[in-house]
Amino acid sequence: MSGDRTRVLSDAAAIAMALGSFAAAMIGWSIAVWIPLVGVVIALLTRRPLLLVVAVVVLAAALGARSDRGLAVHVAQREVRAWVTVMRDPEQFGAATRLDVRLGRMRLEINAYGAPARALSGLLVGERVELTGTVRPRPAYAPWLDQRHVVGRLDVRDVYATRPAAWPYSWANALRRTLHDGANSLGRDHRGLFTGFVFGDDRDQPSTVADDFRGSGLGHLLAVSGENVAFVAALLAPLFKRLDFRVRFAALSTALAFFALVTRFEPSVLRAIVMASIAGLAAAMGRTVSTRRIIALTCTTLVLVDPVITRSVGFQLSLLATAGIVELAPSIASRLPGPRWLALGASVTIAAQLAVAPVEVARFGGMPLAALPANVLAAPAAGPIMMWGLTAGVVAGITGGPIATVVHLPTRALVWWVATAARVAARAPLGELRARHLLVLMVAAVVFALSRTKSARHVAVALAVVALAQPPLTFGHLAAGQHPLATGITVVRGTDGTTVLTIDDTARARSTLEALRRHGIRRVALVVAVDGGRASGEVVRALRSRLAISDIWAPAQHQIRGARTPSLGAYRVGLFEIEVTSTSAPLQTMPRVASDPPILRR
């Protein structure tokens, strides 16, 4: 009996294999793939778990190195006229339309402007387009292109013709367009949230709404996840319940694969589908497999299929959140007071937030302290939006008009609830948990778990309280002086709190709103748009909907509604004296601290 157990892959071995594969794929090792592949086959045939773990880790390293070589391939600059296939739905970035296409075996990123941008903006994945342009190498350092497998760029000059996508992409695109058409009755803000909730399309989301969800820690709701997969499976279960188990498993797997196509194979969706497939196969074989082993095998499988997925923050967060829920939620729920339904729901949110906190802090610089209450408030409405959206959304898209409006009345109410929770939480002056806070919280958790006396537990609780209380106490305390906050954004702060914001056309609305929110800036005495172009106009429009702004300057012939062009000379803004030395683009100003009583000259 003991000999049989040593020939079975244990939970610990599966976890070690997953962690080793993840790390090995990121590091890479230039070795022929067939060598570890032979080791995997031998390990499976001889049922040797240790050999299997080692062989799979080496295989992940070999595949990771091969992926790196593929991304580092040299792309020669050349002119092309060819048919390309859309591989990533178009997005708007200022005046540019950005999308990924496949040309031959290469995956290229397009940044189009003007007429080509308008011609490409309505395309979806799988559709083909004939165009002319210049193929160029990608930037030397562009890690965000790695997980999209992009090896170069294509500057488009002309677009000639388009062709529809082949099956099954055509079906997936038809469903997306139907759901999108039905959501037109919701209005612009709610439409963008609805498409984000249901199938992960965030292209219609205003920058202000997107910032609310980031600032409240609810951004994960706007990207499809394993929760969406669970709801799809729940919707389809009644249709398949009378089928034989194997037929039901095949039908459900096919439906989930189609849903993955609709959601553009988001890493979190792939994680959930692979988990469901492994669990289904285990049930079909009459075996009992623990959830933690399923998570580990899922991670290993996806890393071997696509080693670049290890660089996806969505994949990392999805794995950590799932593991956190499995490992932490039951013990948290048993210790929470109140009704069981509330304790269970809150425990899932708390466990997921605790698990993803290290990655969020490392990748984004901080984790909103408002994330926990915001997720507890939003969770009851987020699920119904997903389930109702996939059913009523199709009806609304087919019928349109008044029927769509009526069908989407529940949707409107549910989306309003989540959006309100996000807006209120994002504006709460709670600050963010940073690395130092997480370190203190981890120490407190270890002390609490290992302590045997009440006094030690009290010390642990006190440490946790201090770590959680510090962000709200220091939130919004931006020191006087000049602060470059992000690309194209500079803030000058006076000792009296007067704030002057300078932006140029490289600034983007989302990054500007995020930078100001994270520093607690809610009032701006003066916005100086030095270029005054369309991009700056979008930033100013977003700022006016979120901040109290006293005045806006822009150069002559600017494109910013509500802005004015100052005359040459000196102006007083709070404690600052600002001298305007040029009124043509770029607008040139020189702020300095004044000594006289503050007066704002208009």
Side-chain angles (χ1 to χ4, degrees):
M1 183 67 69
S2 60
D4 291 339
R5 289 178 179 175
T6 60
R7 290 177 176 272
V8 176
L9 189 70
S10 65
D11 287 0
I15 293 172
M17 185 169 65
L19 294 176
S21 300
F22 193 98
M26 295 190 72
I27 297 171
W29 184 19
S30 294
I31 182 175
V33 172
W34 68 267
I35 297 176
L37 195 57
V38 169
V40 171
V41 173
I42 294 174
L44 291 174
L45 293 176
T46 59
R47 298 179 63 186
R48 296 183 179 276
L50 180 58
L51 177 59
L52 178 63
V53 171
V54 173
V56 167
V57 170
V58 176
L59 177 60
L63 292 173
R66 189 172 69 175
S67 295
D68 288 338
R69 290 194 299 271
L71 291 171
V73 64
H74 176 68
V75 176
Q77 180 171 328
R78 67 183 190 275
E79 302 297 316
V80 296
R81 174 168 181 166
W83 284 91
V84 298
T85 303
V86 178
M87 302 300 294
R88 187 167 180 260
D89 295 324
E91 295 182 81
Q92 292 299 129
F93 288 85
T97 295
R98 183 177 299 173
L99 65 156
D100 295 349
V101 298
R102 187 180 68 241
L103 174 62
R105 300 181 63 181
M106 295 188 303
R107 190 158 176 167
L108 308 172
E109 181 189 61
I110 286 179
N111 283 287
Y113 298 85
R118 292 188 292 272
L120 296 171
S121 61
L123 298 177
L124 292 179
V125 169
E127 296 175 342
R128 306 197 67 210
V129 56
E130 184 184 18
L131 48 76
T132 57
T134 305
V135 174
R136 305 180 188 275
R138 69 177 228 170
Y141 180 75
W144 59 90
L145 298 177
D146 290 348
Q147 64 190 42
R148 289 157 45 194
H149 300 275
V150 171
V151 298
R153 289 187 169 176
L154 175 58
D155 299 332
V156 178
R157 287 193 303 274
D158 295 294
V159 175
Y160 299 105
T162 61
R163 292 177 182 171
W167 182 87
Y169 288 98
S170 58
W171 287 19
N173 292 341
L175 178 57
R176 287 175 67 100
R177 287 185 169 117
T178 299
L179 292 170
H180 193 279
D181 291 343
N184 286 332
S185 61
L186 296 174
R188 181 170 179 260
D189 288 3
H190 286 178
R191 181 182 68 234
L193 292 176
F194 170 82
T195 57
F197 284 132
V198 176
F199 54 89
D201 187 351
D202 61 355
R203 293 178 297 167
D204 286 341
Q205 291 166 15
S207 55
T208 51
V209 175
D211 185 67
D212 286 342
F213 276 76
R214 283 199 302 270
S216 61
L218 295 177
H220 63 94
L221 295 178
L222 302 181
V224 287
S225 64
E227 191 175 10
N228 296 72
V229 175
F231 285 124
V232 170
L235 285 172
L236 296 175
L239 301 177
F240 300 153
K241 66 179 180 179
R242 294 189 177 183
L243 299 175
D244 176 75
F245 176 79
R246 294 181 180 179
V247 177
R248 183 167 69 248
F249 175 68
L252 183 59
S253 299
T254 303
L256 292 181
F258 180 72
F259 181 71
L261 181 61
V262 172
T263 57
R264 305 319 192 203
F265 298 103
E266 284 293 322
S268 54
V269 173
L270 293 177
R271 188 270 311 161
I273 291 176
V274 173
M275 280 188 65
S277 300
I278 293 175
L281 286 173
M285 298 170 65
R287 296 184 178 180
T288 301
V289 182
S290 67
T291 305
R292 63 178 59 170
R293 196 185 311 183
I294 292 175
I295 296 173
L297 293 175
T298 298
C299 176
T300 303
T301 300
L302 290 174
V303 167
L304 294 179
V305 171
D306 181 14
V308 180
I309 201 173
T310 57
R311 306 172 198 181
S312 167
V313 67
F315 180 64
Q316 298 169 14
L317 294 176
S318 179
L319 279 177
L320 287 174
T322 305
I325 292 171
V326 170
E327 299 294 334
L328 303 177
S331 59
I332 293 174
S334 65
R335 289 170 171 79
L336 288 179
R340 296 314 302 157
W341 63 268
L342 181 59
L344 290 173
S347 66
V348 170
T349 299
I350 294 171
Q353 293 296 317
L354 289 175
V356 302
V359 171
E360 285 213 17
V361 171
R363 296 296 293 265
F364 305 117
M367 177 179 177
L369 198 58
L372 180 57
N375 275 276
V376 172
L377 286 173
I385 291 174
M386 298 172 191
M387 294 192 71
W388 183 255
L390 283 174
T391 52
V394 173
V395 175
I398 294 174
T399 58
I403 296 179
T405 302
V406 173
V407 167
H408 269 314
L409 285 177
T411 309
R412 186 184 299 272
L414 292 168
V415 171
W416 173 86
W417 174 266
V418 178
T420 301
R423 184 169 60 254
V424 172
R427 296 184 181 183
L430 299 179
E432 295 180 327
L433 292 174
R434 303 297 176 94
R436 59 183 181 274
H437 306 125
L438 285 183
L439 180 61
V440 175
L441 288 174
M442 290 175 62
V443 171
V446 171
V447 172
F448 188 88
L450 300 180
S451 61
R452 298 182 178 180
T453 63
K454 289 185 177 180
S455 59
R457 292 178 181 175
H458 290 161
V459 171
V461 171
L463 284 174
V465 170
V466 170
L468 294 174
Q470 199 268 341
L473 294 176
T474 59
F475 178 71
H477 295 173
L478 187 65
Q482 182 170 307
H483 305 274
L485 299 186
T487 302
I489 311 165
T490 302
V491 163
V492 181
R493 197 78 178 263
T495 55
D496 63 342
T498 300
T499 302
V500 177
L501 173 65
T502 301
I503 63 173
D504 60 36
D505 278 353
T506 64
R508 293 294 176 261
R510 293 193 179 188
S511 58
T512 303
L513 289 172
E514 181 178 11
L516 298 180
R517 170 178 48 76
R518 298 181 78 170
H519 287 85
I521 298 174
R522 297 185 176 180
R523 301 185 63 87
V524 176
L526 175 64
V527 174
V528 180
V530 297
D531 294 322
R534 175 182 171 184
S536 296
E538 293 179 358
V539 174
V540 170
R541 185 163 55 251
L543 291 175
R544 296 181 72 171
S545 66
R546 283 293 183 268
L547 306 178
I549 301 175
S550 300
D551 202 3
I552 304 171
W553 290 356
Q557 299 180 343
H558 62 80
Q559 302 178 43
I560 302 176
R561 180 177 300 179
R564 68 188 182 95
T565 303
S567 304
L568 298 177
Y571 293 78
R572 299 294 299 277
V573 180
L575 292 180
F576 293 109
E577 181 178 274
I578 301 179
E579 183 177 358
V580 179
T581 59
S582 173
T583 59
S584 59
L587 181 65
Q588 297 181 10
T589 60
M590 298 178 58
R592 56 179 177 269
V593 178
S595 56
D596 298 334
I599 302 171
L600 177 61
R601 174 184 168 187
R602 295 184 180 277

